[in-house]
Amino acid sequence: MPYIETIAYEKATGELKEIYDNLNKSRGKLADVHTIQSLHPRTIMAHMELYMSIMFSKSPLSRPQREMLAVVVSKTNHCEYCIEHHATALNHFWKSKERIAMFLEDFNKASLAETDCALCRFAESLTTNQTQHYEEQVNELKNIGFTDRAIL
């Protein structure tokens, strides 16, 4: 995956080994997204803290909405690891591999509520940076009931 040096679990020592051990214990495995940061171990923990806050802390967006948006961003970025990770998590809520497959093909075909489609369009637009002017999309989200906190 990476084109830079990484430190494998077997060669990790000190702080990195401790972080790897904690991740293995808490998450059940060590993912590429962790090892890619192995040359600067503290970023692994900062990454995990941000991830946990975004995906699991109290939010106006539901957990399925957050996983849905993560799938859209991952698909837009062509990150196969993240697509698989977040699609699997989303399926815990949807419990329909067929719906997940439709969503991966085109979120507009996945029988989403219009509010969720609007969120997906916004996430895709932000990810591709189609425009620097998102005022129209932000206003659309506000008009259908999303708060500034939810949009953030």
Side-chain angles (χ1 to χ4, degrees):
M1 175 179 145
Y3 299 101
I4 62 171
E5 174 189 358
T6 60
I7 301 169
Y9 177 81
E10 299 76 26
K11 294 189 177 187
T13 60
E15 180 183 24
L16 181 60
K17 175 87 163 82
E18 187 177 314
I19 289 169
Y20 279 1
D21 286 340
N22 287 336
L23 287 168
N24 276 324
K25 183 179 178 184
S26 66
R27 308 207 35 97
K29 67 178 183 176
L30 190 60
D32 289 344
V33 73
H34 303 129
T35 59
I36 190 70
Q37 299 173 79
S38 60
L39 298 178
H40 191 6
R42 291 188 181 156
T43 63
I44 299 169
M45 296 315 297
H47 169 116
M48 287 306 299
E49 187 176 323
L50 178 61
Y51 170 78
M52 295 302 287
S53 179
I54 290 170
M55 297 307 287
F56 296 99
S57 68
K58 186 176 167 97
S59 170
L61 298 182
S62 68
R63 282 280 299 123
Q65 285 174 316
R66 288 181 265 180
E67 291 296 351
M68 182 184 62
L69 294 174
V71 171
V72 170
V73 170
S74 300
K75 184 173 182 250
T76 304
N77 284 331
H78 308 285
C79 179
E80 293 301 322
Y81 166 81
C82 294
I83 293 168
E84 176 67 25
H85 174 80
H86 292 292
T88 299
L90 182 57
N91 197 43
H92 287 306
F93 300 102
W94 284 4
K95 299 186 185 337
S96 171
K97 290 185 179 186
E98 295 79 20
R99 188 174 181 204
I100 294 292
M102 283 190 301
F103 184 75
L104 288 170
E105 182 182 324
D106 180 352
F107 63 77
N108 294 297
K109 297 179 183 177
S111 302
L112 299 178
E114 178 51 38
T115 53
D116 289 343
C117 277
L119 284 171
C120 289
R121 284 191 300 273
F122 186 54
E124 184 178 56
S125 182
L126 285 173
T127 305
T128 59
N129 198 24
Q130 293 174 1
T131 177
Q132 293 292 324
H133 307 285
Y134 300 106
E135 183 176 4
E136 188 175 309
Q137 286 179 297
V138 168
N139 286 334
E140 175 190 7
L141 292 172
K142 287 180 179 184
N143 289 336
I144 57 177
F146 288 103
T147 64
D148 287 341
R149 169 71 168 87
I151 295 167
L152 171 66

